[in-house]
Amino acid sequence: MPRDYYEILGVAKTASADEIRGAHRRLVRKYHPDANKSDSSSTKKFQEVQEAYDVLSDPDKRKNYDQFGHAGPQPNPYQTANPYEHAAQGSGNPYGAYAEDIDPSDFQGGQFADIFEQLFNKKGPFKRGRRPRGAAEGMEHPGASEVEYPISLSFEQAARGTALPISINRGGEIEKIDVKIPAGVKTGNRIRIKGRGAMGPAGQGDLYVIVQIQDHPYYRREGLDVLLDVPVSLYEALLGTTVTVPTLDGRVTITIPPGTNSGAKLRIKGAGAHRGAEKGDQHCVVKIIVPKNLDATDIAAIDMVRQKHPIDARSDVNWR
């Protein structure tokens, strides 16, 4: 007998949609074939996780599964097909609520137009049968079976682009595909690869690679701009200094002017994420670190400076 889908994901039958998504993300990272090349059993576990998520993430499929189990509803004695069996060919989209499709016009010279397109449908997790923008209703690849495949990218890979090998289960055989990831992608972006999905009555479907970007220990992104917090001592902020900081292209020395305030942004032009010919900037955000454990002599000296150089720090604040 097939394993229980709730057991595969390690969640209770009363689990919420968020709990199911969280369990799926965790198990995808754990059993992904690209991360377990020495463990042949991981491929089967990965497929089980994808199949379970495809059913439990869809309210209608989940309702039928809860009522009828793996056999599915049997409206007549001649219907014996498992309504969930197609799930093994594809995978659920844990980022569907945040998905944003990539427009080929975003990339220089349309060089990615052959594998990227902006899609019409942006609804929830793992919907099949999507049609390209502008296609008429009922004209969408009838009978073709699309496959969606989540991948995890490092911050740097997403910002500057990369090429990744992925493993797809096609008819019980694992097929390797090299996927080009353009610079500037975001979590939820969908990358379309024509004709590399599952076989359906009307021919080969398409493969959609779903992007998830890993958090970085010190970078963060706002659009194409990259932000980096730079700790600066109170003395450095008062007197000015130079600091060597990391960027996506290597280390760069920046100047902290005298009198710099906490929160000030120092720009390194063109050092952010790229998208075609467009380049974001890196902003170094100053974070002032003040001394601790002051004794009476220290406090008296600081108070003398305070009286000599008074500051009304909230003069421009209009709190209501």
Side-chain angles (χ1 to χ4, degrees):
M1 291 292 292
R3 289 180 62 197
D4 181 78
Y5 287 147
Y6 293 99
E7 177 187 342
I8 290 172
L9 295 184
V11 298
K13 291 189 176 182
T14 56
S16 66
D18 286 341
E19 289 172 329
I20 290 173
R21 278 193 295 270
H24 175 258
R25 292 182 187 180
R26 175 177 55 81
L27 293 172
V28 163
R29 289 193 295 267
K30 181 177 180 180
Y31 293 125
H32 197 289
D34 290 344
N36 296 274
K37 295 180 180 179
S38 61
D39 183 3
S40 58
S41 66
S42 66
T43 298
K44 181 179 179 181
K45 293 176 182 177
F46 180 78
Q47 293 167 358
E48 286 182 338
V49 167
Q50 299 294 65
E51 180 178 347
Y53 181 77
D54 189 80
V55 173
L56 299 185
S57 64
D58 185 297
D60 293 332
K61 291 181 185 178
R62 183 178 180 182
K63 181 179 179 181
N64 283 333
Y65 176 73
D66 288 344
Q67 185 173 358
F68 301 104
H70 286 281
Q74 302 293 319
N76 63 65
Y78 304 102
Q79 182 180 352
T80 58
N82 183 347
Y84 312 119
E85 65 183 357
H86 72 278
Q89 297 290 334
S91 56
N93 178 1
Y95 322 114
Y98 308 99
E100 178 180 338
D101 301 321
I102 298 173
D103 189 332
S105 64
D106 287 341
F107 304 98
Q108 185 176 15
Q111 59 182 315
F112 297 103
D114 57 335
I115 57 174
F116 297 100
E117 69 173 11
Q118 187 165 3
L119 301 176
F120 178 85
N121 190 317
K122 288 188 179 182
K123 294 182 180 179
F126 278 89
K127 303 298 182 183
R128 285 179 171 76
R130 293 181 176 87
R131 65 181 183 275
R133 181 178 296 277
E137 185 74 27
M139 298 297 291
E140 62 201 63
H141 311 296
S145 182
E146 296 176 354
V147 173
E148 292 184 303
Y149 187 102
I151 62 170
S152 181
L153 300 178
S154 70
F155 187 94
E156 292 85 352
Q157 287 173 325
R160 293 301 171 82
T162 188
L164 291 178
I166 64 174
S167 300
I168 296 293
N169 179 19
R170 194 187 302 280
E173 296 184 0
I174 302 300
E175 178 180 339
K176 298 281 188 177
I177 300 174
D178 288 328
V179 179
K180 293 181 180 179
I181 309 296
V185 294
K186 300 181 294 184
T187 287
N189 281 158
R190 295 161 24 94
I191 301 172
R192 177 180 181 231
I193 305 176
K194 294 181 180 179
R196 304 307 289 270
M199 180 63 72
Q204 200 80 25
D206 297 330
L207 169 66
Y208 291 89
V209 175
I210 313 298
V211 173
Q212 168 73 5
I213 302 175
Q214 303 166 12
D215 290 335
H216 196 277
Y218 43 85
Y219 291 133
R220 59 188 184 277
R221 262 179 66 179
E222 290 183 358
L224 293 182
D225 288 340
V226 171
L227 278 66
L228 171 72
D229 289 338
V230 179
V232 173
S233 74
L234 174 63
Y235 320 115
E236 290 174 321
L238 288 171
L239 303 176
T241 189
T242 58
V243 179
T244 300
V245 299
T247 74
L248 295 174
D249 300 312
R251 302 181 74 81
V252 172
T253 299
I254 61 172
T255 298
I256 309 294
T260 296
N261 290 318
S262 189
K265 293 182 179 180
L266 306 175
R267 185 177 69 149
I268 304 175
K269 188 175 181 181
H274 296 174
R275 184 172 59 208
E278 188 178 1
K279 295 183 179 181
D281 301 325
Q282 177 168 315
H283 297 277
C284 299
V285 184
V286 174
K287 301 293 183 182
I288 295 178
I289 308 300
V290 301
K292 298 179 180 180
N293 302 320
L294 302 176
D295 60 24
T297 302
D298 299 329
I299 294 172
I302 292 172
D303 189 57
M304 184 181 301
V305 174
R306 180 186 64 81
Q307 294 182 48
K308 185 177 181 180
H309 301 281
I311 298 174
D312 187 353
R314 291 168 292 283
S315 61
D316 296 329
V317 175
N318 185 23
W319 286 330
R320 296 183 183 275

